[in-house]
Amino acid sequence: VPEDLAYARTQLDRIAAPLAVLPGNHDIGDGAAWTYDGAAVVGAETLGRYRAAFGPDRFSVEVGAWRLLGVNAQLFGSGEPEEDEHWAWLGDEIGRLAPGTPVGLVLHKPLVPPAGDRDRPARYVPEAARRRLLALLAVVDTRLVVSGHIHQALRRDRDGVAHVWAPSSWPVLPDRIQSPIGAKWVGATGLALHDDGRVDVSDIRLPGVDDGVIGLDRRLAHRRADERDAVEALDHPRRFRRAAALEGVSVLGVVGPH
């Protein structure tokens, strides 16, 4: 709802470091063909509310020698008019990259399902859009794909590209509802991006935030003191020098000073 987006924007404005923000399913909905009963469907109305609160639903930022490309995964496969424009923008951005530029893709949904988990568009980028994204990424020096959404942390390598799932910054889901794929804990992920294309990944525990479980933990209501401590942790200038911190409900990038 608009009030939730406005509140989230107020909290993010407390972070002094430059931000790059992307929407997730809880912000703008999902494709009509696979959204859950009663859940929002991505469209002009939900996109408009998000953009009014946060600005563009994509980004292209330089971090040292790197180029980070943030895309709106909720549009892929939706059939919305904005999807075609989104693809055109991404193609233009990739076409302008200098040879050898390390590239990181940032999006809400994981791009590729890991072995052992069922492929479904509500959880992962839909298959047709995935093939198109992988083809675009194959022509540049892609080193990193970062996502959230699953409320689990996971790191794996696929064809020389590091795929990193950030954990939830609020709760995790009980195992009876969601089988463990990665690690279920609450916090953030730190990424130190080196100019030679290497990536150092670190786990960040947020002060005052426990590993709450939806439906089992009565303490999940946000406490303002906890939010203050978490914002201060994310705003630590040395921790996020040339780094991106991503939270797992809607992907949030924090890029520290160069």
Side-chain angles (χ1 to χ4, degrees):
V1 296
E3 292 80 7
D4 289 341
L5 295 177
Y7 177 75
R9 178 70 211 214
T10 299
Q11 298 307 307
L12 296 184
D13 283 343
R14 296 164 59 193
I15 298 176
L19 296 179
V21 185
L22 292 173
N25 53 303
H26 295 291
D27 307 308
I28 63 171
D30 216 333
W34 53 80
T35 192
Y36 300 107
D37 291 342
V41 175
V42 64
E45 182 179 353
T46 60
L47 284 167
R49 288 199 297 262
Y50 175 86
R51 291 166 178 164
F54 297 104
D57 56 335
R58 63 196 184 202
F59 61 77
S60 176
V61 296
E62 184 180 50
V63 183
W66 284 69
R67 174 64 58 172
L68 297 182
L69 299 172
V71 297
N72 181 353
Q74 307 312 115
L75 283 175
F76 294 141
S78 68
E80 289 295 314
E82 288 86 351
E83 183 181 1
D84 289 338
E85 197 271 337
H86 211 72
W87 282 114
W89 168 83
L90 181 59
D92 288 344
E93 288 296 321
I94 287 177
R96 283 198 290 265
L97 291 174
T101 301
V103 175
L105 179 73
V106 186
L107 69 174
H108 183 63
K109 292 180 181 179
L111 179 56
V112 180
D117 194 31
R118 180 168 58 90
D119 189 2
R120 47 203 186 275
R123 175 170 285 190
Y124 301 105
V125 171
E127 186 177 1
R130 180 189 311 143
R131 291 196 301 267
R132 189 170 177 180
L133 271 172
L134 289 172
L136 284 170
L137 295 174
V139 303
V140 294
D141 188 14
T142 304
R143 302 293 186 96
L144 177 68
V145 176
V146 190
S147 58
H149 188 48
I150 309 298
H151 292 231
Q152 299 188 41
L154 183 68
R155 305 172 195 171
R156 63 194 182 100
D157 185 89
R158 183 181 186 275
D159 298 329
V161 178
H163 288 250
V164 178
W165 297 6
S168 172
S169 64
W170 178 45
V172 298
L173 297 166
D175 291 351
R176 62 180 175 79
I177 294 176
Q178 183 198 58
S179 298
I181 309 166
K184 292 187 176 183
W185 56 276
V186 175
T189 296
L191 303 171
L193 308 179
H194 300 275
D195 285 348
D196 61 4
R198 291 179 297 115
V199 182
D200 293 329
V201 183
S202 60
D203 298 334
I204 301 171
R205 292 285 185 168
L206 303 178
V209 179
D210 300 326
D211 293 345
V213 180
I214 292 176
L216 301 179
D217 195 331
R218 296 180 179 275
R219 299 170 299 167
L220 285 180
H222 277 300
R223 293 165 295 187
R224 298 304 169 91
D226 294 347
E227 290 171 347
R228 182 184 64 247
D229 292 341
V231 166
E232 289 174 355
L234 289 174
D235 198 28
H236 192 292
R238 287 182 294 179
R239 172 169 286 171
F240 290 96
R241 181 177 297 274
R242 288 195 178 180
L246 307 175
E247 61 98 356
V249 178
S250 300
V251 174
L252 158 68
V254 182
V255 181
H258 291 185

